[in-house]
Amino acid sequence: MRVRIEDVAEAAGVSMKTVSRVLNQEPNVSEETRKRVEAAARKLQYRPNPSARSLAGQRSFLVALLYDNPSSNYLMEVQAGMLDACIAHHYNLMLAPVTYGERKFLAHVDEIIQHSRADGLVLTPPLTDHPGLMKRLGQLGIPYANISPKLRGGRIGVVLDEERAVREMMAHLVSLGHRRIAHIKGHPEHGASQWRLNGYRDGLAAAGIAYDPELVIDGDFHYDTGAICAQRLLLMADRPTAIFAANDDMAAGTIRTASEMGLSIPGDVSVCGFDDTPIARQIYPPLTTVRQPTREMGRLATHELFKRIKAPDGGQMITAGYELQLRQSTGPIGKGRTRRR
Amino acid sequence: MRVRIEDVAEAAGVSMKTVSRVLNQEPNVSEETRKRVEAAARKLQYRPNPSARSLAGQRSFLVALLYDNPSSNYLMEVQAGMLDACIAHHYNLMLAPVTYGERKFLAHVDEIIQHSRADGLVLTPPLTDHPGLMKRLGQLGIPYANISPKLRGGRIGVVLDEERAVREMMAHLVSLGHRRIAHIKGHPEHGASQWRLNGYRDGLAAAGIAYDPELVIDGDFHYDTGAICAQRLLLMADRPTAIFAANDDMAAGTIRTASEMGLSIPGDVSVCGFDDTPIARQIYPPLTTVRQPTREMGRLATHELFKRIKAPDGGQMITAGYELQLRQSTGPIGKGRTRRR
DNA sequence: CTGTTAGCGCCTTCAG
DNA sequence: CTGAAGGCGCTAACAG
């Protein structure tokens, strides 16, 4: 029924092993033999059996994406990027959702690794900063790549210079005349929250604006939280003229709240976010934000992972590029015509 | 190094096969033996080798999600539902993106199936209605389940009574006094587009309102398209007082356009969508829509798939429930105070 | 109820 | 540069 390597060998008049060599691009095959084998394989429509390959070769040709419920847009982009890389390397992508705070978190991860036999993992924040996980993965000796990890020492994956990106964004706001700029922080577990806060503070400092703790509020990257935080900020007697939310979802929540309060954007208050997820263009007004090349980051991280799978010390930490997206949610100060309801 | 089934057998003082029986929950093992084997397996921390199981057992314990780039929210929900089912059945979930219109579409699908050795597939629209794909999958004899397929005969999966849902939505609009109700259609390739259009027409008929082709515009489920279609509708001399967009993304685009035109929602125009994706609550005003239990549908489809994997005639077509979500984007007719810019 | 015997299809030795 | 034998870890089919 199914065509096996043996059939190809027979058709090509060589041994199984020679076919195997050709298929796996191993050396020590004469050009002529190679061609003959390839022709036979094509004619018979031969497809290697992954299970057999895995069993004999001790690898699964599977990588798993380990994640803990980040925003769906973010995750989809990461997935797409990983798929780009996986397809190019003839690997398959498996999904492995976990729960960071769970009691048996590590046991669960063990389970996944054992059960899937993935050759490697890609971690998204905040898993990428879970100390116990790092350690466990090291013990198990399973290769993994990190997306936007806090700690970069001796690890592979991809990061963005988020601090610098935020400094640029702050410079943009300052150039529009804003000096009373608020910040809604991200989830405390994510490295990004810290970087973006740092960028905010640096941006203020660069403009000679004093840091005012009242203008900095704890968020968690969620839309609803953004909406709530914005309310606190916009109800202040001396309300900020600009709000930098640590991601687009919270910025969208901010805009939502401002709209409900009858405030004009950017007339009464400018709002900006980070990530450039689809929501940035799907709200009104469209959001000024930093474009984070999430898909590309997924691809790059997976690419580094493959390098490490091949060699125990392969791969490195890559820095991806960002881009400011100036849209209509930010504008010059004081052009507003408040229309409180 | 790794503990094998043989080690467990030795530790428990039984044969390999008996251990295998216990692990696979097969019958014909005495309770006492079973306990002994389970204890031994636990003590040794035994984990079966999936590759070996696959090779010997002719199944991969893998299901693949075949999709063609629908909205990320939709896909994430489907994924989450599938994962719920997969985890419960000790299966793994693999991602298999394809391109519907591609030249070598079928060859690509073949490739995926051969290369992944998935035991079954779940198809999302519009793949679920691709005639060539259906046929090919039938030839290959690979089990698959469908989410929201147009044709239901002899197939398994899950559907929603979308026509009925839309009829209810139309009744809601009519009850608010609307009679001039427009519709932005979905992507022609999706069954949902037809159902939602049918529901729209039925809803009009039920209210004794004549169908006006001018008020029905071709869309494709995308946000931007919704925005463009809305412009055409809202610039009409005798513009509609309500717009039913075939999904939330297009409804969001509609609201965007209305906002830009300075129209008040729902004062000047009511807008409603379908799906209840996160965007429905993330725009302002929040969207009246039909809640489609996408995650649950992913779970149910996968569940039916497992039944079919077990038995060639197992599984069936399930009907999932919906729920109207009445929010602030719809309201009584004529309460608006237009403020064109 | 339990055990034995063959593979599943490929890759890894190690000879030639 | 090529091939023959053995085994990866498990399960199916058959015996008992």
Side-chain angles (χ1 to χ4, degrees):
Chain A
M1 24 198 304
R2 273 194 58 74
V3 27
R4 295 157 309 165
I5 203 170
E6 199 182 330
D7 306 321
V8 178
E10 196 175 342
V14 296
S15 75
M16 271 171 59
K17 179 57 201 173
T18 299
V19 177
S20 172
R21 282 201 183 89
V22 172
L23 267 49
N24 294 303
Q25 326 229 45
E26 289 173 32
N28 296 337
V29 182
S30 76
E31 197 48 42
E32 191 201 310
T33 311
R34 179 181 303 279
K35 288 228 166 97
R36 201 142 37 91
V37 170
E38 279 167 353
R42 208 172 318 115
K43 194 171 64 190
L44 297 177
Q45 298 212 64
Y46 170 71
R47 304 280 161 202
N49 179 319
S51 308
R53 288 224 297 179
S54 304
L55 183 55
Q58 315 270 34
R59 58 198 167 159
S60 62
F61 296 95
L62 234 49
V63 295
L65 169 60
L66 213 67
Y67 62 95
D68 178 12
N69 185 44
S71 93
S72 68
N73 286 322
Y74 179 81
L75 198 62
M76 281 295 304
E77 291 293 308
V78 171
Q79 284 181 9
M82 290 187 67
L83 282 164
D84 292 340
C86 284
I87 289 166
H89 289 252
H90 297 286
Y91 258 73
N92 279 137
L93 176 58
M94 248 197 51
L95 258 29
V98 296
T99 308
Y100 189 102
E102 198 187 19
R103 294 180 306 283
K104 311 205 293 175
F105 172 70
L106 287 180
H108 190 182
V109 171
D110 269 30
E111 175 72 26
I112 286 169
I113 292 172
Q114 309 278 11
H115 181 249
S116 74
R117 273 288 191 298
D119 293 337
L121 309 175
V122 169
L123 312 189
T124 53
L127 299 174
T128 209
D129 301 312
H130 188 296
L133 179 58
M134 305 291 87
K135 196 173 148 204
R136 188 84 193 95
L137 259 24
Q139 289 168 349
L140 293 173
I142 183 170
Y144 65 95
N146 311 277
I147 296 182
S148 301
K150 259 190 258 195
L151 307 167
R152 304 174 190 185
R155 302 170 66 184
I156 64 170
V158 54
V159 290
L160 212 64
D161 191 343
E162 305 200 4
E163 297 189 0
R164 193 166 135 230
V166 174
R167 284 200 299 272
E168 278 186 36
M169 177 64 87
M170 291 296 288
H172 164 67
L173 292 176
V174 168
S175 78
L176 291 171
H178 296 282
R179 297 188 63 80
R180 195 155 169 76
I181 305 171
H183 176 51
I184 303 176
K185 292 199 279 184
H187 189 108
E189 219 90 69
H190 289 61
S193 305
Q194 186 63 51
W195 300 326
R196 293 171 195 183
L197 175 62
N198 291 347
Y200 167 77
R201 298 193 66 151
D202 292 352
L204 290 178
I209 303 171
Y211 175 80
D212 179 354
E214 279 224 332
L215 292 179
V216 176
I217 303 201
D218 292 331
D220 61 1
F221 286 139
H222 291 302
Y223 178 89
D224 292 330
T225 308
I228 293 167
C229 293
Q231 196 161 21
R232 276 179 50 201
L233 289 169
L234 295 174
L235 286 177
M236 289 174 60
D238 184 13
R239 69 164 184 250
T241 64
I243 299 178
F244 163 53
N247 76 344
D248 288 353
D249 282 351
M250 292 197 301
T254 299
I255 286 181
R256 157 70 171 282
T257 293
S259 298
E260 283 178 338
M261 291 174 67
L263 293 173
S264 140
I265 298 164
D268 294 317
V269 58
S270 284
V271 177
C272 59
F274 200 110
D275 287 344
D276 199 21
T277 53
I279 199 176
R281 299 189 329 104
Q282 295 180 348
I283 54 174
Y284 182 76
L287 193 63
T288 289
T289 186
V290 176
R291 173 166 155 61
Q292 172 167 220
T294 313
R295 178 170 184 160
E296 180 67 3
M297 290 172 79
R299 196 181 67 73
L300 289 170
T302 310
H303 200 73
E304 296 308 303
L305 176 61
F306 286 135
K307 287 191 201 159
R308 173 139 297 184
I309 287 173
K310 270 206 195 106
D313 58 345
Q316 52 183 308
M317 187 64 71
I318 306 262
T319 299
Y322 61 86
E323 215 174 317
L324 248 60
Q325 298 289 337
L326 303 183
R327 301 208 181 92
Q328 284 85 71
S329 69
T330 49
I333 192 169
K335 292 276 186 177
R337 33 164 201 24
T338 306
R339 41 185 171 80
R340 270 189 201 277
R341 280 172 193 164
Chain B
M1 22 199 303
R2 271 194 60 73
V3 26
R4 293 156 311 166
I5 202 171
E6 199 182 330
D7 305 322
V8 178
E10 194 174 343
V14 296
S15 74
M16 271 169 60
K17 180 59 202 173
T18 299
V19 177
S20 172
R21 283 202 182 88
V22 172
L23 267 49
N24 294 303
Q25 327 231 44
E26 286 172 33
N28 295 337
V29 182
S30 75
E31 197 48 42
E32 191 202 310
T33 310
R34 179 181 303 280
K35 290 229 165 98
R36 201 142 38 90
V37 170
E38 280 167 353
R42 207 171 319 115
K43 194 170 65 191
L44 296 176
Q45 297 213 63
Y46 170 71
R47 303 282 161 202
N49 180 320
S51 309
R53 288 225 296 179
S54 303
L55 183 56
Q58 315 270 36
R59 58 199 168 158
S60 62
F61 297 97
L62 233 51
V63 295
L65 170 60
L66 213 66
Y67 63 95
D68 179 11
N69 185 45
S71 90
S72 66
N73 287 320
Y74 179 81
L75 198 62
M76 281 296 303
E77 290 294 307
V78 170
Q79 283 181 10
M82 289 187 67
L83 283 163
D84 292 341
C86 284
I87 288 165
H89 290 252
H90 297 286
Y91 258 72
N92 279 138
L93 176 59
M94 246 196 52
L95 256 28
V98 296
T99 308
Y100 189 102
E102 198 187 20
R103 294 179 306 282
K104 310 204 294 177
F105 172 71
L106 288 179
H108 189 182
V109 171
D110 269 30
E111 176 71 27
I112 286 168
I113 292 173
Q114 308 279 9
H115 182 250
S116 74
R117 273 285 189 299
D119 292 337
L121 309 175
V122 170
L123 312 189
T124 53
L127 299 174
T128 208
D129 300 313
H130 188 295
L133 179 58
M134 306 291 88
K135 197 174 146 203
R136 187 85 193 95
L137 260 24
Q139 288 168 352
L140 293 174
I142 184 169
Y144 64 95
N146 311 277
I147 297 182
S148 302
K150 260 190 259 195
L151 306 166
R152 304 176 191 182
R155 303 171 65 184
I156 65 169
V158 55
V159 291
L160 212 65
D161 191 345
E162 305 200 4
E163 298 189 359
R164 193 168 135 228
V166 174
R167 284 200 299 271
E168 278 185 35
M169 178 63 87
M170 291 295 288
H172 164 68
L173 292 175
V174 168
S175 77
L176 292 170
H178 297 283
R179 296 189 65 81
R180 196 155 169 76
I181 304 171
H183 176 51
I184 303 175
K185 290 199 279 186
H187 188 109
E189 220 90 69
H190 289 61
S193 306
Q194 186 62 50
W195 299 326
R196 294 172 195 182
L197 175 62
N198 291 347
Y200 166 77
R201 299 192 65 151
D202 291 353
L204 290 178
I209 303 171
Y211 174 81
D212 179 354
E214 280 224 331
L215 292 179
V216 176
I217 303 200
D218 292 331
D220 62 1
F221 286 140
H222 291 302
Y223 178 88
D224 292 330
T225 309
I228 293 166
C229 293
Q231 195 162 21
R232 276 179 51 200
L233 289 169
L234 295 174
L235 285 176
M236 288 172 60
D238 185 13
R239 71 162 184 252
T241 64
I243 299 177
F244 162 54
N247 76 343
D248 287 352
D249 282 352
M250 293 197 301
T254 299
I255 286 181
R256 157 71 169 281
T257 293
S259 298
E260 283 178 336
M261 292 173 67
L263 294 172
S264 139
I265 298 165
D268 294 316
V269 58
S270 284
V271 177
C272 59
F274 199 109
D275 288 344
D276 198 22
T277 54
I279 200 176
R281 300 190 327 105
Q282 295 179 349
I283 54 175
Y284 181 76
L287 193 64
T288 289
T289 188
V290 176
R291 173 165 155 61
Q292 172 167 220
T294 313
R295 179 171 184 159
E296 180 67 3
M297 290 172 79
R299 196 181 67 72
L300 289 170
T302 309
H303 200 74
E304 295 309 302
L305 176 61
F306 286 135
K307 287 192 201 158
R308 173 139 297 185
I309 287 173
K310 268 203 197 111
D313 58 346
Q316 53 183 308
M317 188 63 71
I318 306 262
T319 299
Y322 60 86
E323 214 174 318
L324 251 58
Q325 298 289 336
L326 304 182
R327 301 208 180 92
Q328 282 86 71
S329 69
T330 50
I333 193 169
K335 292 275 185 177
R337 34 166 200 20
T338 305
R339 40 185 170 80
R340 272 188 199 277
R341 280 171 191 164

